[in-house]
């Protein structure tokens, strides 16, 4: 954790330095040959610079840079710079909070997580005052509602996410198995395939990879296990603390048995990209991840190209499959010196054409409903159509109910789960303590 805080501070310093020195723009080197440079010009005094703080998981950064370039092509006089921010949600939040604390105008547009509108709304403008009314009806209403606080649209939806099960079609065929429908089935199949592949000489092979590091990704994974076993959503939408129940306890104890058996010991230190590296190297039978991993898995350098598919996640013994709702939005800083242009950039980046590009090239799920009927999108990511219900029925984390304390709630939750996964506590004890912590944080009643 200390290392990450330090890293965030370093990032801020680097950014400040690069902005001061004017070297953050894409064009750094003057052309030495006298030939006209292909690179865009450095921002001149009159140019308006809009900085977009964005993610870099998978292909996100490249896709955002492409959109920035397209905006600049059509808008001379505006330079859009994309600031690469840390992968882990909590680290990214830490960086943003430093900018907010300083009321900094250095970042104009922020890529914000679906769980943050309630916690961060005071730092963003109301996009309805900047033309969002005209486009908001194209987006999934539930996400628009999520991004609306006291009638203010604090962010425009950009892409949505839901947890999926990635499975190896070749290996399920080899071992004569069908995609698992329950967690118990998944564990059995993972064990069989892992043993079989190791016996054939691949000692690195593992059954199941997922996101077990102590961070927001673990909250997402654990919520899926619990919700799929009728164990609720930590805190109910009505603001009641529900986490300490038998169905929740049962699932977390079960997940703890996976660590060091069907999943590597190191899974409790893994985030999305760690799991994807193992999976894409051909060394896992199953992976829990978000849709972005699909297009990368299908690239030529991927060992699993044409050898995998995606399905809904398995269900617990007492429930139905559940996928956590994820996704990212674009918000305009209240401290921006150019909120109008910043809002125009945000609305452009979240527009139909840009969401289409991101869906086709990066399998990032659109928030614009019509794109789920677009032939090019469905050809590139067929599961957008076949798993449409998974995306529209995904389970929300309790961010609206617990705002502005969601991050504290999630941190207490993933720490408790992490303790159980590491074998430090059993889930019954961990959740008994957790419900009291959650009461301190939120002041809510316990069920
Ligand atoms: C993905 C989701 C986001 C979630 C994060 C956790 O980026 O879109 O909502 O918080 O993963 O790692």
């Amino acid at each position: 954790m200390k290392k990450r805080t330090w890293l965030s501070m370093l990032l801020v310093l680097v950014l400040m330095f690069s902005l001061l020195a004017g070297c953050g723009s894409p064009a750094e080197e003057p052309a030495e040959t006298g030939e006209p440079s292909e690179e865009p010009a450095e921002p001149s005094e009159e140019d308006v610079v809009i900085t977009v703080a964005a993610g870099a998981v998978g292909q996100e950064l490249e896709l955002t840079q492409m959109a920035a370039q397209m905006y600049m092509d059509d808008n001379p006089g505006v330079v859009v710079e994309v600031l690469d921010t840390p992968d882990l949600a909590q680290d990214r939040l830490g960086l943003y909070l430093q900018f907010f604390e300083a009321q900094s105008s250095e970042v104009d547009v922020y890529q914000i997580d679906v769980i943050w509108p309630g916690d961060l709304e005071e730092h963003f403008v109301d996009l309805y005052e900047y033309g969002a009314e005209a486009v908001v009806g194209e987006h999934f209403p539930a996400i628009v509602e999520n991004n609306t606080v006291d009638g203010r649209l604090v962010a425009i939806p950009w892409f949505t996410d839901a947890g999926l099960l990635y499975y190896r079609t070749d290996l399920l065929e080899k071992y004569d198995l069908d995609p698992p429908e329950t967690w118990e089935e998944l564990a059995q199949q993972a064990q069989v395939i892992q043993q079989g592949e190791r016996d054939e000489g691949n000692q690195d092979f593992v059954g199941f990879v997922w996101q077990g590091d102590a961070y927001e990704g673990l909250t997402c994974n654990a919520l899926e296990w619990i919700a799929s076993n009728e164990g609720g959503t930590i805190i109910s939408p009505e603001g009641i603390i529900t986490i300490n129940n038998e169905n929740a306890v049962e699932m977390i104890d079960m997940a703890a048995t996976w660590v060091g058996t069907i999943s590597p010991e190191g899974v409790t230190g893994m985030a999305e990209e760690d799991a994807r590296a193992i999976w894409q190297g051909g060394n896992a039978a199953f992976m829990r991840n978000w849709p972005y991993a699909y297009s990368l898995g299908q690239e030529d350098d991927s060992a699993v190209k044409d050898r995998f598919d995606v399905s809904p996640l398995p269900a617990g013994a007492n429930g139905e499959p559940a996928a956590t709702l994820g996704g990212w939005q674009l918000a305009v800083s209240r401290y921006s010196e150019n909120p109008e242009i910043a809002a125009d950039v945000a609305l452009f980046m979240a527009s139909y054409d840009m969401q289409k590009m991101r869906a086709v090239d990066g399998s990032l799920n659109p928030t614009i409903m019509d794109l789920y009927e677009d032939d090019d999108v469905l050809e590139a990511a067929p599961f957008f159509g076949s798993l449409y219900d998974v995306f529209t029925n995904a389970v929300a984390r309790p961010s609206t109910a617990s705002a502005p304390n969601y991050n504290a709630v999630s941190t207490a939750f993933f720490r408790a789960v992490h303790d159980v996964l590491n074998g430090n506590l059993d889930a019954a004890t961990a959740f008994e303590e957790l419900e009291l912590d959650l009461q301190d944080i939120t002041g809510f009643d316990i069920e």
Side-chain angles (χ1 to χ4, degrees):
M1 268 332 236
K2 274 199 184 130
K3 188 167 157 219
R4 286 187 188 136
T5 315
W6 184 84
L7 264 176
S8 308
M9 288 180 64
L10 189 69
L11 244 168
V12 176
L13 284 174
V14 168
L15 173 80
M16 285 174 165
F17 179 77
S18 67
L19 289 176
L20 279 174
C23 65
S25 78
E28 270 134 88
E29 303 290 318
E32 279 173 7
T33 55
E35 294 291 313
S37 163
E38 296 273 309
E39 300 275 311
E42 247 185 77
S44 73
E45 294 261 319
E46 302 87 63
D47 282 340
V48 172
V49 178
I50 299 294
T51 301
V52 181
V57 173
Q59 305 175 85
E60 276 185 284
L61 193 63
E62 292 80 347
L63 290 166
T64 307
Q65 274 162 344
M66 275 162 71
Q69 188 56 53
M70 289 181 201
Y71 187 89
M72 289 191 277
D73 291 346
D74 289 346
N75 293 276
V78 180
V79 173
V80 181
E81 294 188 343
V82 181
L83 172 69
D84 176 359
T85 64
D87 278 1
L88 300 198
Q90 260 80 23
D91 296 349
R92 192 174 295 163
L93 181 64
L95 176 66
Y96 289 6
L97 290 175
Q98 294 176 44
F99 284 116
F100 297 145
E101 177 77 14
Q103 305 206 345
S104 167
S105 61
E106 276 154 35
V107 175
D108 301 278
V109 179
Y110 288 89
Q111 168 175 345
I112 67 161
D113 203 328
V114 69
I115 50 187
W116 294 344
D119 280 16
L120 300 183
E121 58 95 14
E122 66 187 282
H123 305 291
F124 301 130
V125 306
D126 176 4
L127 288 173
Y128 283 135
E129 288 175 11
Y130 296 90
E133 195 73 62
V135 292
V136 91
E138 299 167 9
H139 298 261
F140 284 121
I143 305 179
V144 172
E145 197 188 317
N146 177 79
N147 297 1
T148 306
V149 184
D150 297 332
R152 301 170 63 242
L153 185 68
V154 300
I156 188 83
W158 197 21
F159 67 99
T160 186
D161 254 346
L164 300 173
L165 182 70
Y166 286 73
Y167 63 93
R168 287 282 297 273
T169 45
D170 57 339
L171 294 177
L172 288 196
E173 201 180 314
K174 176 170 168 188
Y175 293 89
D176 200 16
L177 300 165
D178 292 323
E181 287 180 5
T182 62
W183 292 108
E184 216 170 306
E185 259 173 49
L186 176 136
Q188 283 161 2
Q189 296 187 1
Q191 184 60 46
V192 169
I193 302 173
Q194 176 176 290
Q195 195 57 53
E197 294 304 291
R198 287 188 185 177
D199 288 349
E200 283 181 22
N202 184 357
Q203 288 311 317
D204 294 333
F205 197 88
V206 294
F208 182 34
V209 287
W210 37 281
Q211 292 78 46
D213 196 0
Y215 79 117
E216 189 61 33
L218 178 55
T219 294
C220 297
N221 282 239
L223 179 65
E224 282 159 355
W225 308 329
I226 293 173
S228 78
N229 199 38
E230 284 288 319
T233 56
I234 311 166
I235 291 175
S236 75
E238 297 73 35
I240 305 288
I241 298 164
T242 61
I243 186 58
N244 189 13
N245 68 79
E246 264 176 39
N247 289 346
V249 165
E250 181 182 276
M251 276 312 299
I252 301 302
D253 279 334
M254 179 195 260
T257 68
W258 301 337
V259 180
T261 57
I262 56 166
S263 304
E265 291 284 353
V267 76
T268 55
M270 280 186 199
E272 285 81 0
E273 289 291 79
D274 307 304
R276 183 171 71 81
I278 295 178
W279 163 261
Q280 216 169 287
N283 288 322
F286 299 104
M287 170 174 74
R288 183 272 177 208
N289 216 325
W290 308 101
Y292 84 94
Y294 188 92
S295 64
L296 288 160
Q298 284 296 57
E299 304 235 308
D300 287 339
D301 64 356
S302 160
V304 297
K305 182 171 195 243
D306 296 328
R307 296 159 77 193
F308 74 94
D309 208 344
V310 286
S311 75
L313 288 161
N318 305 316
E320 299 288 319
T324 296
L325 175 70
W328 294 83
Q329 344 293 318
L330 291 171
V332 172
S333 169
R334 250 187 212 285
Y335 320 115
S336 166
E337 278 162 13
N338 299 289
E340 258 173 43
I341 302 173
D344 196 51
V345 170
L347 293 178
F348 170 80
M349 287 192 164
S351 67
Y352 187 100
D353 288 346
M354 293 302 101
Q355 289 205 7
K356 177 166 175 171
M357 173 181 83
R358 295 165 63 85
V360 171
D361 293 350
S363 58
L364 292 169
N365 280 62
T367 59
I368 294 180
M369 293 174 282
D370 282 356
L371 280 165
Y372 288 83
E373 283 163 22
D374 184 293
D375 290 340
D376 299 327
V377 170
L378 290 176
E379 198 193 321
F383 67 98
F384 283 7
S386 58
L387 299 185
Y388 186 72
D389 288 350
V390 173
F391 300 115
T392 51
N393 293 321
V395 179
R397 284 162 274 173
S399 52
T400 303
S402 58
N405 297 311
Y406 173 72
N407 190 51
V409 164
S410 176
T411 304
F413 175 66
F414 68 63
R415 286 202 179 133
V417 174
H418 202 248
D419 267 345
V420 181
L421 296 178
N422 279 332
N424 298 338
L425 286 178
D426 59 48
T429 315
F431 285 175
E432 235 173 77
E433 289 171 10
L434 175 65
E435 70 177 350
L436 298 176
D437 288 348
L438 293 181
Q439 202 175 29
D440 282 348
I441 294 168
T442 60
F444 293 161
D445 287 338
I446 292 173
E447 191 173 42

